[in-house]
Amino acid sequence: MNTNTFRCPAAMERRGFLKGLLAAGAAAALPGGLLTARNAAAAPFDPDAYQVFRNACPRNCYDTCSIKTYVRDGVVQFVEGAPESTYTKGALCVKGYSYPRRLYSPDRIKYPMIQEGRGSGNWRRLSWDEAMDRIADKILDLKQRDGSLLGLGLTKYSGNFGITNYGVEGMMSSLGYTTRFVGTPCWPAGIDAQNYDLGDMWCNDPEDMVKARYIIVWGANPAWCSMHSMKYLYEARERGAKIVVIDPVFTQTAAKADVYWRVKPGTDGALALGMARHLLDKNLVDLDFALNSATGYLEFAAYLRQNVTVEWASEICGIPADDIRSVTEEFAAVKPATVWIGYGMQRHTNGGAMVRAIDAFVAMTGNIGVEGGGARYGQMQTWGFNYHAMVQKQPEGSVGFSGATGPKGEFDFAGESNTAYSDRALNINKTAQEILDAKDPEVKMLWVSCKNPFAQDFDRNKLEQAFAKLEMVVTVDQFFNETVRHSDIVLPVTTLFEEWTVNVSYWHYWLSLNEQAIRPMHEAKSNIEIAAALSRAMNQKSPGSCTFPQEVDGKEWMIQEFNKGIYDYFGISSWEDLRNGPVKAKLSSSASWNERKFLTPSGKYEFRSDLCAQNGFKALPEYVPVREATAPFRLLTPHVQFGLHSQFINLDWMENFYPEPFVYIHPEAAKAKGIGDLDRVRVSNSIGEVTLRAKLSTNVARDCLVMYEAWFRKLAFNVQNVVDDCAADMGAMKTGAPGVAIHDQFVDIAPAG
Ligand SMILES: Nc1nc2c(c(=O)[nH]1)N[C@H]1C(S)=C(S)[C@@H](COP(=O)(O)OP(=O)(O)OC[C@H]3O[C@@H](n4cnc5c(=O)[nH]c(N)nc54)[C@H](O)[C@@H]3O)O[C@H]1N2
Ligand SMILES: Nc1nc2c(c(=O)[nH]1)N[C@H]1C(S)=C(S)[C@@H](COP(=O)(O)OP(=O)(O)OC[C@H]3O[C@@H](n4cnc5c(=O)[nH]c(N)nc54)[C@H](O)[C@@H]3O)O[C@H]1N2
Ligand SMILES: [Mo]
């Protein structure tokens, strides 16, 4: 990989309210008791009394907020959204405002610890040296037994997207060729779909949604998952736009819409095709775009005429035909009009096909490459860093996997040295099955970082079996979660306030510095300091066995991630400019694809994609039915408002907002099952069960149940007991593994008795 030209998309596809809140009470809970509730509330705010640091929320979130952190006497007192960013605009979400509590939580993992008997809860404190000794011994033992390090697996995903944290992948490369869990449980089917159609995933600047005159939010819930984007939807509406939300669940976003369509899950492809057919029937197609900037349009139109009617679509997706017609006509009548394609929508066995059908509908209306328009999904234009921490060389003589190399995740982590060997790639979306099946060598040791498999991976019972096979599990984390419970050694990692890094978003176009604001708490180390500590232990025992630098300076390593491309793209001359606040990319247009030069093989928008056909799918964005039901109720397990996956809800502050999970069931379905509001119920299917209380709600359909994914520190609640690892259609081309059909799950429900 040429790091100078590294560019994910082309190269490899991929504020005072709080002061009041904290000063008024919460600050009293902070260490040192520097502010009492009474004197803080009375004292006028004096910014000069604080040292201000720049931080960024590194979670896997659209908003990736720029944070201003106020420190006094070495203690983070409060945080606010950076006012310099027009996107964050001085505000954080409730999770962001809870950061000081997370940082100072008494529940944090404080020291390296070893569990005598996995799952026993019999934890004992270790020194860093002893922990690293044990880990290094095990790694060397594997090498000796297997002749390679393929018995060592890494599972890492989105706990912290700070760029220097790709040093975890770098650490693995610096040991040799290992086993990597590749792909993403998040958005891969849609990534491939947009690559087939457009040649890359590249969305408009979300701030330009204010220009849109018609907005369809299709299977996304920004009121919860991208709350800063909501202001653009509201402003667009103030300027006259109409907003349609399409979701099987009447979400908070839907509650804000002009039109809400309760679509049957997994049928959005049929709906989009029905809308496309209606464009044809009413001569509403932008023929200039369809014929001159696209290929395959006539063939697609013929497919629509032969196979699709609005009534057919209506029958499948459950939206009345006349409603489909009227929204289609309204969407086509104004320009710009845009669709926000959500990640939730593509987590189906036909997710990629559905995204292609929606892309096609937007393309037919000529809204691709248009400011305020677009089929918006995500972007990785802003991610052109050096990946200095990630790119590490294997030690001389490393033996690895001699199979074919291919894309290995959203980022290629193989490093610069290219020998006949490579890492062994296993599918992250089938972690349990892959561990159970791996042979020659078996996966014997697992390093878990920025990942909580027991909360976020699929088929939890099978994951228990898979972990039982492992000889050693090392987990690097901040809290004693369920994955830590299934580990032998746990290593405490820093939070964003305790380390240097840099952050960008996969949605907006802002760049944020993350400065170390305080000294690390307890004995926490950053992910790259952990790698350096491991390298010291490895080299002491076996000189040359690990190439990772044995000392790292976090700030220097952050600086090493910058290059001229990044500086030019963001219009800065040094990373130090970011100390004045986040900066936005200097975009020549807020529209992606504004030159209509697509990165597909034909250079045009491809209604017909031969590449897609070569990869085993339909060349045209045809209708593909969704997974068939295997139990009476469809289960959706989408993202929760007060947490981000398994993060935040474990904090006592957040428990006040969200003390327990519920399964949401339609009142008529509940009545038929003899279930009353707030009754305890059992939700089960062939792979497992969950017991919790039910809430009756007409926000869900009669044949659908909703449980939001979350980790509670005191409750044995886990949606993954009933979510299997069935694959989505697309994703393998650009991310190394297909997505996962998270929302194609079927369960039954009964009173818990
Ligand atoms: N049923 C169901 N399952 C899902 C989904 C769903 O909708 N429903 N969504 C899927 C999606 S979209 C995603 S993106 C994945 C997310 O899956 P994960 O990436 O596993 O999710 P998180 O819970 O955000 O983070 C994992 C862990 O990283 C830790 N962490 C935080 N900061 C750091 C750090 O600096 N260093 C280290 N080492 N660890 C850190 C956190 O404490 C947490 O335990 O889950 C997927 N799973
Ligand atoms: N508060 C909060 N914010 C987050 C996250 C979080 O966990 N909590 N996670 C972050 C991450 S990693 C991601 S990936 C994004 C996710 O962001 P979103 O995609 O907005 O969120 P999801 O909850 O995954 O799914 C959105 C909606 O898809 C709907 N859906 C499911 N199946 C279908 C279908 O077949 N058709 C249609 N039309 N809709 C369907 C669900 O009902 C849900 O309301 O949010 C990010 N931001
Ligand atoms: Mo995600």
Side-chain angles (χ1 to χ4, degrees):
M1 180 169 73
N2 181 337
T3 53
N4 293 326
T5 58
F6 179 85
R7 202 54 187 266
C8 294
M12 64 200 58
E13 320 296 294
R14 225 202 153 348
R15 152 170 350 194
F17 157 72
L18 177 79
K19 287 174 199 145
L21 178 83
L22 273 173
L30 295 172
L34 293 169
L35 295 175
T36 65
R38 186 182 295 267
N39 70 22
F45 176 64
D46 173 11
D48 295 335
Y50 301 89
Q51 261 183 296
V52 176
F53 292 89
R54 297 289 173 176
N55 289 102
C57 182
R59 313 273 88 93
N60 181 0
C61 182
Y62 287 98
D63 289 10
T64 307
C65 291
S66 304
I67 300 177
K68 273 178 100 169
T69 301
Y70 291 75
V71 172
R72 202 159 70 182
D73 300 328
V75 174
V76 172
Q77 302 289 346
F78 60 87
V79 290
E80 63 177 0
E84 297 86 358
S85 161
T86 49
Y87 188 82
T88 304
K89 218 179 175 187
L92 297 175
C93 71
V94 65
K95 307 182 296 299
Y97 285 127
S98 77
Y99 267 129
R101 186 55 178 171
R102 177 170 174 150
L103 167 61
Y104 296 120
S105 168
D107 295 339
R108 266 185 76 172
I109 299 166
K110 302 181 179 68
Y111 329 102
M113 298 187 89
I114 187 165
Q115 186 172 214
E116 307 288 7
R118 215 182 281 162
S120 69
N122 187 13
W123 289 96
R124 180 168 65 80
R125 181 176 174 179
L126 292 177
S127 67
W128 271 102
D129 284 349
E130 193 187 343
M132 287 307 173
D133 259 18
R134 286 172 177 264
I135 295 168
D137 280 343
K138 188 71 196 175
I139 294 173
L140 291 168
D141 167 55
L142 293 186
K143 208 191 232 176
Q144 203 185 5
R145 284 159 61 196
D146 296 335
S148 80
L149 275 183
L150 295 175
L152 168 61
L154 169 68
T155 190
K156 171 174 179 272
Y157 193 48
S158 65
N160 186 329
F161 270 163
I163 301 299
T164 53
N165 286 303
Y166 290 98
V168 177
E169 286 87 340
M171 175 185 77
M172 298 302 275
S173 295
S174 73
L175 290 163
Y177 295 103
T178 58
T179 290
R180 308 291 182 90
F181 287 86
V182 307
T184 147
C186 183
W187 55 341
I191 294 180
D192 273 15
Q194 291 226 309
N195 271 275
Y196 292 133
D197 297 340
L198 300 142
D200 197 0
M201 164 187 68
W202 177 21
C203 61
N204 282 27
D205 176 358
E207 299 179 51
D208 90 347
M209 274 192 291
V210 298
K211 295 179 186 164
R213 297 179 59 202
Y214 210 93
I215 301 174
I216 301 181
V217 182
W218 204 321
N221 184 13
W224 285 10
C225 293
S226 179
M227 71 104 175
H228 284 102
S229 290
M230 291 302 285
K231 61 179 170 290
Y232 305 118
L233 297 178
Y234 295 145
E235 188 176 334
R237 188 163 41 200
E238 271 168 31
R239 295 182 185 194
K242 190 160 176 177
I243 298 174
V244 178
V245 169
I246 305 177
D247 198 302
V249 182
F250 184 71
T251 61
Q252 203 167 339
T253 310
K256 305 289 183 187
D258 300 296
V259 174
Y260 164 60
W261 280 354
R262 168 167 286 150
V263 69
K264 292 183 188 158
T267 69
D268 304 80
L271 173 57
L273 293 172
M275 293 166 79
R277 170 72 201 255
H278 192 61
L279 291 173
L280 270 182
D281 290 351
K282 288 282 169 182
N283 288 321
L284 293 171
V285 179
D286 181 331
L287 287 172
D288 174 40
F289 183 90
L291 296 173
N292 300 321
S293 298
T295 61
Y297 168 68
L298 293 175
E299 207 182 322
F300 180 52
Y303 166 81
L304 289 174
R305 287 202 179 93
Q306 276 161 24
N307 298 282
V308 173
T309 62
V310 174
E311 278 72 19
W312 166 87
S314 167
E315 185 71 30
I316 293 172
C317 72
I319 310 299
D322 283 346
D323 294 357
I324 297 177
R325 290 190 185 94
S326 61
V327 163
T328 302
E329 287 171 30
E330 289 170 7
F331 189 94
V334 292
K335 233 178 186 175
T338 190
V339 176
W340 176 343
I341 304 174
Y343 307 136
M345 201 271 303
Q346 48 90 61
R347 296 183 188 125
H348 291 278
T349 55
N350 58 353
M354 296 202 291
V355 172
R356 287 199 68 207
I358 297 171
D359 284 348
F361 167 72
V362 180
M364 284 169 80
T365 61
N367 275 296
I368 303 281
V370 174
E371 295 195 0
R376 302 160 190 261
Y377 188 68
Q379 61 85 16
M380 294 200 78
Q381 301 283 316
T382 55
W383 291 69
F385 298 92
N386 288 337
Y387 297 89
H388 162 262
M390 179 174 78
V391 180
Q392 304 291 334
K393 272 193 163 61
Q394 288 76 15
E396 284 297 323
S398 294
V399 172
F401 185 64
S402 50
T405 56
K408 306 180 201 90
E410 291 151 303
F411 298 90
D412 193 329
F413 44 68
E416 277 176 334
S417 68
N418 241 330
T419 68
Y421 293 119
S422 70
D423 296 306
R424 173 170 62 178
L426 300 181
N427 179 348
I428 199 171
N429 292 324
K430 292 186 185 289
T431 300
Q433 196 62 49
E434 293 278 55
I435 294 173
L436 290 168
D437 292 348
K439 294 210 167 52
D440 302 326
E442 295 188 343
V443 181
K444 303 186 183 77
M445 177 176 181
L446 189 65
W447 188 285
V448 184
S449 186
C450 301
K451 181 87 168 68
N452 187 351
F454 273 90
Q456 299 310 130
D457 280 352
F458 312 100
D459 199 337
R460 187 177 168 283
N461 284 329
K462 196 153 74 175
L463 200 61
E464 300 252 13
Q465 290 167 32
F467 268 56
K469 266 192 74 179
L470 300 168
E471 296 173 13
M472 184 185 269
V473 180
V474 178
T475 296
V476 182
D477 213 310
Q478 294 158 350
F479 295 98
F480 285 91
N481 59 36
E482 232 185 308
T483 300
V484 174
R485 217 182 302 147
H486 287 82
S487 307
D488 303 290
I489 293 181
V490 65
L491 303 174
V493 74
T494 43
T495 66
L496 60 135
F497 305 102
E498 303 157 279
E499 64 188 30
W500 287 90
T501 196
V502 52
N503 291 80
V504 284
S505 156
Y506 49 78
W507 179 240
H508 62 67
Y509 285 77
W510 287 85
L511 167 69
S512 304
L513 179 65
N514 186 79
E515 297 178 294
Q516 184 177 341
I518 60 162
R519 289 204 316 265
M521 296 291 292
H522 318 294
E523 289 188 8
K525 289 183 193 291
S526 70
N527 285 310
I528 56 173
E529 289 166 341
I530 292 172
L534 180 61
S535 188
R536 290 196 294 274
M538 290 291 298
N539 282 294
Q540 208 173 25
K541 289 173 187 294
S542 171
S545 63
C546 181
T547 65
F548 205 90
Q550 296 180 38
E551 297 295 335
V552 293
D553 177 326
K555 184 177 174 186
E556 279 305 314
W557 276 53
M558 177 278 296
I559 297 170
Q560 294 288 329
E561 295 294 0
F562 286 88
N563 53 45
K564 185 164 182 315
I566 284 278
Y567 286 153
D568 290 349
Y569 190 63
F570 288 95
I572 54 175
S573 55
S574 159
W575 68 271
E576 286 187 279
D577 296 350
L578 297 169
R579 288 192 139 153
N580 300 323
V583 295
K584 186 175 176 180
K586 302 286 174 239
L587 302 170
S588 59
S589 166
S590 67
S592 56
W593 309 113
N594 61 314
E595 293 176 358
R596 294 192 177 184
K597 286 181 190 152
F598 297 98
L599 294 169
T600 53
S602 66
K604 297 190 171 190
Y605 180 93
E606 296 197 355
F607 287 102
R608 178 194 165 87
S609 167
D610 291 325
L611 183 58
C612 192
Q614 276 164 32
N615 288 341
F617 307 104
K618 308 269 185 195
L620 295 173
E622 292 182 21
Y623 171 65
V624 177
V626 72
R627 187 184 192 184
E628 268 178 36
T630 53
F633 290 88
R634 176 183 289 270
L635 173 71
L636 302 176
T637 55
H639 297 193
V640 75
Q641 180 176 24
F642 297 114
L644 194 133
H645 302 300
S646 67
Q647 306 195 60
F648 295 103
I649 286 180
N650 60 302
L651 302 178
D652 48 3
W653 283 9
M654 213 57 89
E655 283 167 352
N656 293 338
F657 284 100
Y658 198 70
E660 69 169 287
F662 294 99
V663 57
Y664 295 86
I665 181 170
H666 192 279
E668 287 170 16
K671 195 171 172 199
K673 287 277 181 183
I675 293 166
D677 198 25
L678 303 180
D679 283 357
R680 282 199 81 71
V681 295
R682 187 171 159 266
V683 176
S684 61
N685 60 20
S686 62
I687 66 159
E689 63 176 71
V690 183
T691 304
L692 74 176
R693 293 205 291 168
K695 245 187 194 174
L696 276 46
S697 171
T698 54
N699 291 347
V700 297
R702 281 170 193 75
D703 58 353
C704 201
L705 301 179
V706 171
M707 289 194 293
Y708 295 103
E709 46 146 25
W711 169 56
F712 296 79
R713 64 188 172 141
K714 294 179 188 158
L715 300 174
F717 167 74
N718 192 329
V719 296
Q720 312 298 19
N721 288 354
V722 288
V723 178
D724 71 20
D725 61 1
C726 175
D729 48 356
M730 297 179 191
M733 177 172 73
K734 290 296 170 191
T735 75
V740 57
I742 294 174
H743 296 311
D744 291 331
Q745 304 296 324
F746 301 94
V747 292
D748 206 348
I749 186 170

